[in-house]
Amino acid sequence: PSYIAQYINIIGKKSSRGISWVSILLAAIALSCNMLAISIRNWKLFNCCSYIGFGPCTSQLLPMIQIGVGWFCTCLLYFLTVYYAEPIKQSLYTRIAEEGEREEPIPEKVPLGSGRTKGMWISFASWILVFLAVTPAITAVLFVRYGYNSVAVQEIWSEILAAISISAILMQWIPQVYVIWKRKDGGNLSLFFLGLQTFGC
């Protein structure tokens, strides 16, 4: 429900004004690394599912499923944030007009997706490439070379992924706080979304 509220806010207003795409990218990186690290740590559960049955297997895999759902929701939020991003000039102009500092009409919103920037899309594509191709490839090579129970996989590679996840989590909200402080308002950031996220943590 928390993500749905933010989706509605962005799509309904056709703008992700005031939302830091860097914060969402850091959240996506944290969830991606965390999901892969937990999957490595619990890889033997996948092998046991054929023996213990669907119910017990699902209950054992619930933490990974929860993180996977969070990853998908964050991925979609990241896409919407970039897709509905406004050009900087229009964003400032719209805010000034909304605050009543200038007797001018608010300009029409830019066409859907035309506010995208190369940097945002490159970051999005790079993250997808790294998570869906590079890190799984490294994991597969380590599995084949050393086995999933080896020190190289269980203690080194999974700990590296966990360290990246923790670092991203620690820095996640700094860009968003900076955006709010600089704009002096939360833009289209959903308070319901933030409230449920805080409660969930």
Side-chain angles (χ1 to χ4, degrees), residues 3-194:
Y3 283 95
I4 293 175
Q6 187 61 73
Y7 298 157
I8 293 173
N9 227 21
I10 295 174
I11 297 173
K13 298 178 180 179
K14 292 185 171 59
S15 169
S16 58
R17 183 170 57 90
I19 300 175
S20 171
W21 64 275
V22 179
S23 285
I24 300 175
L25 176 61
L26 289 172
I29 291 173
L31 286 168
S32 300
C33 293
N34 194 20
M35 184 165 64
L36 188 54
I38 291 178
S39 298
I40 292 172
R41 289 283 188 177
N42 297 278
W43 189 257
K44 60 183 179 181
L45 291 177
F46 295 104
N47 297 327
C48 295
C49 281
S50 58
Y51 301 103
I52 63 177
F54 178 79
C57 178
T58 302
S59 64
Q60 293 294 322
L61 295 176
L62 274 179
M64 282 181 276
I65 296 173
Q66 182 181 6
I67 294 174
V69 171
W71 175 84
F72 176 80
C73 292
T74 303
C75 181
L76 181 56
L77 178 58
Y78 187 92
F79 176 81
L80 290 175
T81 300
V82 177
Y83 193 67
Y84 283 101
E86 293 179 339
I88 295 177
K89 288 183 179 179
Q90 175 170 339
S91 180
L92 292 175
Y93 181 71
T94 302
R95 183 166 60 86
I96 291 173
E98 286 177 348
E99 292 173 353
E101 298 177 8
R102 185 182 297 178
E103 296 294 331
E104 298 179 22
I106 298 176
E108 293 183 1
K109 294 293 183 183
V110 292
L112 192 65
S114 63
R116 70 191 69 168
T117 64
K118 286 185 178 180
M120 287 179 173
W121 285 113
I122 290 173
S123 298
F124 181 75
S126 300
W127 163 62
I128 290 294
L129 176 65
V130 169
F131 179 71
L132 295 181
V134 177
T135 49
I138 294 174
T139 304
V141 169
L142 290 174
F143 273 22
V144 172
R145 180 72 176 81
Y146 301 103
Y148 70 85
N149 278 325
S150 66
V151 174
V153 175
Q154 289 289 336
E155 296 186 11
I156 299 177
W157 179 230
S158 64
E159 291 299 329
I160 290 174
L161 293 171
I164 295 173
S165 176
I166 293 172
S167 300
I169 290 173
L170 290 175
M171 298 184 294
Q172 175 182 342
W173 292 108
I174 296 176
Q176 184 61 66
V177 171
Y178 173 75
V179 168
I180 294 175
W181 174 80
K182 187 176 181 180
R183 292 180 50 86
K184 302 297 187 291
D185 70 73
N188 293 332
L189 188 64
S190 170
L191 293 179
F192 184 73
F193 165 73
L194 291 178

